[in-house]
Amino acid sequence: MDVRRAAQRYPGGDPATGIESSHAFSFGPHYDPDNLRFAAVIACNEERLAPGAGFDEHPHSHTEIVTWVVEGELTHRDSAGNETVVRHGDVQRLSAAGGVRHVERNDGELPLTFVQMWLAPVRPGGEPSYDIVRGIADSTPYAVPEAGAMLHVRRLGAGERTAVPDGAYVYVHVVRGEVRLGGEELGPGDSVRVVGAKDLAAEGLTPAEVLMWEMAAG
């Protein structure tokens, strides 16, 4: 188990324009050759957008982009014609494939926080695609076969336990609350990288929400 604390993330964004970012992996000007990826996960970014702030149209390619809203509403528009408002509980996936452009904004009146995770595809190229699952149920896995990965959303009450998926590689990100995993106490923004996960469990120390990626290949 490799525990990474929220405070260890690289700061980013542009606070003057209402964008504050925290990057769990090497990103943009923060280049760290020892922290480029974990299995399929190549980015786990926590983004905070003030009302009216956002990312103007920009390109992506050869990336599976999965977004989880923590609070507020995220407006998504892309060059494939998709326009969606994403809320807490929704899982959004944009498969950039051979190339796509998109816009992400906070068009609401309240602050927006979302976690965006980028995964490397098994094979590059192809046609871009878009998917959204509204209000995904607790413990319902969301498959991203293009990256050989499965996302598990877990919501815990204080004292409740949930199994961590057994797998060759598991990436755990705490969205909110406090949990205990493998003897480590974790808070919001903390993450754990597990190789050869087996018979592990996460326990809620407070009401908590956790995202877990189960991956077969490194």
Side-chain angles (χ1 to χ4, degrees):
M1 278 181 43
D2 180 4
V3 177
R4 305 288 179 112
R5 299 297 179 182
Q8 294 177 271
R9 296 179 295 180
Y10 312 111
D14 185 356
T17 63
I19 302 173
E20 296 184 15
S21 306
S22 297
H23 305 295
F25 291 84
S26 184
F27 198 91
H30 299 285
Y31 177 70
D32 181 351
D34 296 323
N35 190 26
L36 297 177
R37 65 187 291 171
F38 177 73
V41 180
I42 55 177
C44 182
N45 303 332
E46 184 176 5
E47 307 287 0
R48 298 177 182 271
L49 304 185
F55 300 99
D56 293 332
E57 187 175 79
H58 56 282
H60 288 280
S61 61
H62 315 307
T63 313
E64 300 295 318
I65 303 169
V66 178
T67 304
W68 179 263
V69 170
V70 181
E71 61 180 358
E73 296 184 345
L74 170 65
T75 298
H76 164 93
R77 293 190 297 274
D78 63 50
S79 55
N82 301 293
E83 183 168 349
T84 318
V85 176
V86 188
R87 301 176 178 87
H88 178 248
D90 301 339
V91 174
Q92 175 186 257
R93 180 183 61 85
L94 177 63
S95 180
V100 70
R101 302 180 67 85
H102 73 157
V103 175
E104 296 167 304
R105 297 197 56 80
N106 180 7
D107 290 332
E109 298 179 353
L110 300 174
L112 164 67
T113 302
F114 64 95
V115 177
Q116 190 166 89
M117 297 153 287
W118 298 7
L119 286 79
V122 176
R123 284 177 288 277
E127 292 296 320
S129 62
Y130 178 85
D131 183 40
I132 185 165
V133 176
R134 298 290 190 185
I136 193 167
D138 188 37
S139 299
T140 299
Y142 180 81
V144 184
E146 295 85 352
M150 187 90 71
L151 175 65
H152 303 264
V153 179
R154 303 288 170 84
R155 303 173 181 95
L156 298 169
E160 290 185 348
R161 290 167 61 88
T162 186
V164 174
D166 290 345
Y169 300 90
V170 176
Y171 183 80
V172 179
H173 174 85
V174 180
V175 175
R176 67 178 86 239
E178 297 179 355
V179 302
R180 181 184 289 113
L181 194 160
E184 294 281 352
E185 294 189 5
L186 308 170
D190 289 350
S191 61
V192 182
R193 307 173 191 192
V194 187
V195 177
K198 186 170 177 58
D199 300 329
L200 282 175
E203 177 186 0
L205 302 176
T206 68
E209 187 172 78
V210 182
L211 304 177
M212 303 183 186
W213 282 105
E214 173 190 355
M215 298 165 285

